């Protein structure tokens, strides 16, 4: 049945549009922008509305204290210490000054950054003392803009300390900070970190269901779930972090707070945490119905919490109650309300992120995903793929989740229309390529044909001509509107990086794309081509295109020669550039069986040796091209070239020895020959002087040879 529309309170809430999608008369609606109901209804259900809870005031930091702590934060930031001991002593003194003021410091914008730095640098005892000072106040701190970040850092340190206690590290058990004076409150931190952490969770339990959609405390809730389930604790600055929002990650980079070694790790957890995880799942879904949980799934703050719960609930709940509050049982037929909900997820940005994460989630049973796919997606693959900002990402995720038969079914539908579907959704092209490769090149020729039809419709795949235009590079990289050739030191844009990676993926997929890229290079002016060599992103395309295949036909060899001509008189400039030097390094392998071009490049480097050697990047090129051999022992340098060709061809499948190995063998043989010759001459002189005949000499040489044969094994 349709969800009854409720009266919305407040001017801000009234301005928010209600999202809806009609399906056969059924509509899924998000009742409020924040996903919460009226205060009165919450009270009727016996639940307080913690989303509107007022922040607790812990006092202001006075001006003198603020100046001191601000200076301390700056000192820690620039790390202005001559030794580790000095830094430890400074941290100890700041913590001593902060004692009793922790609560007002963590809720202050400037001082909260100081507290984070102190927590990251503190020893185990100091971390426990800090944790203990927050007991009974964790709920209020988690709902605060600044202190919530401090709690996240503290919880990660606490997780590492819990593991340390579990493995009963002798160093930890006997650790005594001799320099630190014993404080009066040491008795308060004799509890284990596990016990303190469980006390903290107990504080949160009555509030978990309200924290799920709170702007700040939802992040704290997600971190607690990750810790008690033993999952990896994500970095606070990386772009794919499952914890921080995009805005938060950017802000953290700006204040230059770096994570310590405890981040990006998963820690061992005690058995008691399993019951705590069960309790958290129960508290979050307490008094929630299907409608409310579905609203949370489409809520930008609550959705990541639900994704995480679905991932970990299987550890403690075989029935998957959170999942079944959102979706029907695995044997249930199509349901109008569920269909309306699915349509919302397939067409809206937040909802599609949720469903995509659910599909990728290892914690979800495959049969659950298969049911949703067969009931609500299988019959309209093309329609969903056309939704480039929502449904397309879900179909892409299904390519790596479903059984092979279903994956091939999706590919059979998409591949014939790929040239029309890809448009600006380059990710779709990449996922189709990866899915094809995972199926042993399934319909590879058709995929290649569709990609050329999209990006180079005038290119003749079977018989490319020298009059080929640069349309492939223009269409894929959008060179006309790019930063190529800019003199303002503009950084390559994220869009340019994305498009460059797409072209590199095509070249890895099939050699035909490499040949096409070469012809496009010929169509560009030399100046434009060299600009690509110096570009921070497009240079990777040139580098990846420098590939030589075995059993190369003569026409391809000629193409390689033409491509080498584009680098003429530009080698020195490229060698002294951070991007171009990588290309020159790659030319050593690319000029295999082209010794004349190798010699030209080496000669150009040698004539400008002073310029090359003065450059950091040029010195690396000089070394990688073995230019010292070229300058002093050119014959050995040419031998190195022959050896490279021999290695490329191979001999009877055996490993071809390196030049240094051959040289050592040659020296050993020469030394052995000289020793034998000297021994033979000495023997002849001895027998001649003693008057023995030739037969005696031959017998002695034979005996000497047999003796050497016997001793050879021991000498080795």
């Amino acid at each position: 049945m349709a969800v009854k529309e409720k009266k919305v309170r407040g001017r801000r809430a009234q301005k928010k549009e209600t999202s809806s999608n009609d399906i056969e008369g059924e509509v899924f609606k998000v009742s409020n922008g924040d996903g919460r109901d009226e205060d009165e209804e919450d009270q009727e259900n016996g639940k307080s509305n913690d989303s509107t809870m007022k922040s607790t005031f812990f006092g202001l930091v006075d001006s003198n204290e603020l100046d001191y702590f601000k200076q301390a934060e700056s000192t820690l930031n620039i790390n202005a210490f001559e030794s580790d001991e000095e830094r430890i002593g400074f941290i100890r003194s700041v913590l001593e000054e902060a004692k009793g003021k922790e609560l007002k410091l963590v809720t202050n914008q400037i001082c909260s950054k100081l507290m984070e730095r102190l927590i990251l640098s503190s020893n185990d005892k100091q971390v426990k003392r800090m944790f203990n000072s927050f007991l009974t106040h964790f709920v209020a701190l988690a709902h605060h803009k600044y202190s919530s970040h401090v709690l996240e850092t503290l919880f990660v340190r606490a997780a590492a300390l819990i593991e340390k206690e579990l493995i009963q590290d002798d160093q930890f058990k006997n650790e005594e900070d001799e320099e630190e004076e014993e404080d009066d409150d040491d008795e308060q931190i004799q509890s284990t970190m596990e016990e303190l952490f469980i006390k903290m969770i107990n504080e949160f339990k009555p509030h978990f269901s309200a924290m799920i959609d709170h702007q700040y405390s939802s992040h704290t809730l997600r971190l607690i779930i990750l810790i008690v389930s033993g999952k990896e604790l994500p970095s606070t600055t990386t772009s794919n972090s499952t914890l921080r929002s995009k805005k938060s990650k950017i802000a953290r980079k700006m204040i230059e707070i770096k994570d310590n070694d405890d981040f990006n790790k998963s820690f061992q957890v005690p058995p008691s945490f399993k019951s705590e995880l069960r309790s958290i799942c129960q508290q979050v879904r307490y008094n929630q119905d299907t409608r409310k949980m579905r609203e949370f799934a489409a809520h930008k703050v609550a959705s990541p919490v639900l994704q995480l719960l679905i991932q970990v609930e299987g550890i403690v709940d075989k029935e998957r109650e959170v999942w079944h509050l959102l979706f029907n049982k695995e044997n249930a037929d199509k349901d109008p309300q569920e269909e309306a909900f699915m349509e919302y997820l397939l067409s809206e940005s937040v909802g599609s992120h949720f469903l995509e994460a659910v599909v990728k989630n290892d914690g979800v049973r495959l049969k659950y995903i298969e049911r949703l796919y067969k009931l609500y997606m299988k019959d309209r693959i093309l329609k969903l793929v056309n939704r480039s900002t929502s449904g397309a990402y879900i179909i892409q995720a299904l390519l790596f989740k479903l059984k092979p038969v279903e994956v091939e079914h999706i590919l059979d539908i998409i591949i014939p229309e790929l040239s029309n579907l890809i448009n600006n959704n380059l990710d779709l092209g990449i996922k189709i390529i990866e899915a094809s490769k995972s199926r042993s090149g399934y319909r590879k020729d058709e995929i290649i044909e569709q990609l050329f039809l999209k990006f180079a419709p005038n290119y003749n795949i079977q018989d490319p001509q020298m009059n080929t235009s640069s349309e492939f590079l223009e269409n894929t990289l959008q060179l006309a509107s790019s930063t190529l050739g800019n003199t303002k030191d503009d950084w390559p844009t994220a869009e340019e990086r994305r498009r460059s990676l797409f072209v590199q993926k095509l070249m890895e997929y099939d050699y035909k794309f490499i040949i096409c890229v070469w012809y496009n290079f010929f169509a560009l002016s030399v100046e434009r081509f060299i600009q690509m060599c110096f570009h921070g992103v497009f240079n990777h395309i040139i580098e990846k295109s420098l590939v030589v295949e075995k059993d190369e036909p003569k026409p391809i060899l000629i193409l390689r020669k033409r491509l080498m001509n584009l680098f003429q008189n530009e080698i020195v400039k490229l060698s002294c550039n951070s991007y171009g030097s990588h290309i020159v390094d790659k030319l050593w392998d690319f000029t295999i069986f082209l010794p004349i071009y190798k010699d030209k490049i080496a000669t150009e480097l040698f004539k400008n040796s002073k310029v090359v050697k003065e450059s950091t990047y040029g010195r690396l090129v000089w070394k990688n091209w073995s230019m010292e051999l070229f300058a002093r022992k050119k014959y050995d340098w040419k031998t190195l070239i022959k050896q490279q060709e021999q290695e490329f061809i191979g001999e009877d499948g055996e490993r071809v020895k390196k030049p240094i190995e051959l040289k050592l063998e040659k020296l050993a043989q020469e030394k052995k020959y000289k020793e034998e010759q000297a021994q033979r001459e000495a023997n002849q002189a001895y027998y001649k002087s003693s008057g023995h005949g030739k037969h005696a000499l031959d017998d002695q040489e034979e005996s000497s040879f047999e003796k050497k044969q016997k001793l050879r094994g021991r000498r080795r």
Side-chain angles (χ1 to χ4, degrees), residues 464-469 519 522-523 559 562:
Q465 302 297 321
M466 287 310 301
N467 61 357
T468 299
S469 68
Y519 276 102
F522 303 149
L559 282 180
R562 290 182 61 89

Side-chain angles (χ1 to χ4, degrees), residues 655-668:
R655 184 182 73 85
V656 180
K657 294 180 181 178
K658 295 180 180 180
I660 187 64
E661 294 174 327
L662 294 174
K663 190 172 183 179
L664 289 173
E665 286 183 1
K666 184 178 179 181
L667 290 172

Side-chain angles (χ1 to χ4, degrees), residues 338-600:
E338 185 182 47
E339 187 175 11
F341 175 56
M342 280 294 296
E343 178 62 21
Y344 186 87
L345 297 181
L346 290 165
S347 58
E348 194 268 340
S349 58
V350 176
S352 62
H353 276 294
F354 171 78
L355 190 54
E356 181 188 9
V358 164
V359 171
K360 292 179 177 179
N361 199 330
D362 292 334
V364 179
R365 290 172 177 164
L366 179 59
K367 60 182 179 181
Y368 295 164
I369 303 298
E370 288 178 335
R371 174 185 172 274
L372 296 178
Y373 164 72
K374 291 176 181 177
L375 290 180
Y376 306 115
M377 292 179 273
K378 185 174 182 177
D379 296 334
R380 52 197 191 113
I381 298 295
L382 282 180
K383 182 179 178 181
L384 296 176
V385 173
N386 271 305
R387 298 175 183 176
S388 59
T389 60
S390 54
Y393 291 101
I394 298 164
I395 298 301
Q396 289 166 206
L398 288 170
L399 287 171
F400 303 94
K401 185 73 173 184
L402 298 175
K403 294 177 180 178
V405 175
E406 297 296 345
V407 172
E408 292 179 3
H409 171 74
I410 295 175
L411 291 176
D412 289 340
I413 294 174
I414 293 178
I415 290 174
E417 301 293 331
L418 184 59
S419 60
N420 298 322
L421 293 171
I422 195 168
N423 294 324
N424 288 325
N425 187 8
L426 300 180
D427 287 338
L428 176 63
I430 292 175
K431 296 302 181 184
I432 293 296
I433 287 172
E434 291 176 349
S436 169
K437 289 170 69 174
S438 68
R439 303 296 308 141
S440 302
Y442 184 75
R443 300 185 71 162
K444 180 177 180 178
D445 292 339
E446 294 177 63
I447 294 173
I448 294 171
E449 183 181 347
Q450 287 291 316
L451 290 169
F452 275 118
L453 183 61
K454 172 64 181 177
F455 297 108
N458 299 312
Y459 178 73
N460 188 338
I461 304 175
Q462 305 303 327
D463 185 23
Q465 302 297 321
M466 287 310 301
N467 61 357
T468 299
S469 68
S470 61
E471 63 176 350
F472 179 76
L473 290 179
E474 296 288 351
N475 291 334
T476 53
L477 301 179
Q478 295 183 346
L479 294 180
S481 59
S482 69
T483 59
L484 188 62
N486 285 10
T487 57
K488 300 178 181 178
D489 293 330
D490 291 346
W491 287 101
T493 64
E495 179 67 14
E496 288 173 348
R497 186 173 292 104
R498 189 170 67 92
R499 290 181 172 274
S500 174
L501 290 171
F502 175 69
V503 175
Q504 292 174 56
K505 177 67 72 173
L506 296 184
M507 291 192 292
E508 290 174 8
Y509 186 51
D510 194 85
Y511 194 69
K512 294 185 182 70
F513 289 105
I514 293 177
I515 301 300
C516 177
V517 167
W518 289 358
Y519 276 102
N520 277 248
F521 288 158
F522 303 149
L524 294 171
S525 65
V526 175
E527 180 186 5
R528 196 73 164 159
F529 174 75
I530 297 301
Q531 286 176 351
M532 288 186 68
C533 294
F534 290 115
H535 193 272
V537 165
F538 296 155
N539 74 302
H540 293 291
I541 295 172
I542 297 175
E543 187 180 346
K544 295 289 185 182
S545 71
L546 301 178
V547 176
V548 183
E549 282 199 332
K550 287 192 175 183
D551 302 323
E552 180 183 58
K554 189 173 181 180
I556 302 300
L557 181 66
I558 295 172
L559 282 180
R560 280 204 293 136
K561 291 179 180 180
R562 290 182 61 89
L563 186 58
M564 288 305 306
N565 290 334
L566 297 177
F567 295 101
Q568 190 173 358
N569 300 324
E570 301 289 344
I571 294 298
V572 175
K573 291 180 182 178
L574 290 171
S575 299
C576 298
N577 180 265
S578 58
Y579 303 121
S581 58
H582 291 286
I583 294 174
V584 180
D585 286 342
K586 198 69 180 289
L587 288 178
W588 172 262
D589 292 326
F590 189 68
T591 51
I592 192 168
F593 304 122
L594 298 176
I596 295 177
Y597 286 91
K598 256 191 176 69
D599 195 82
K600 283 182 179 179

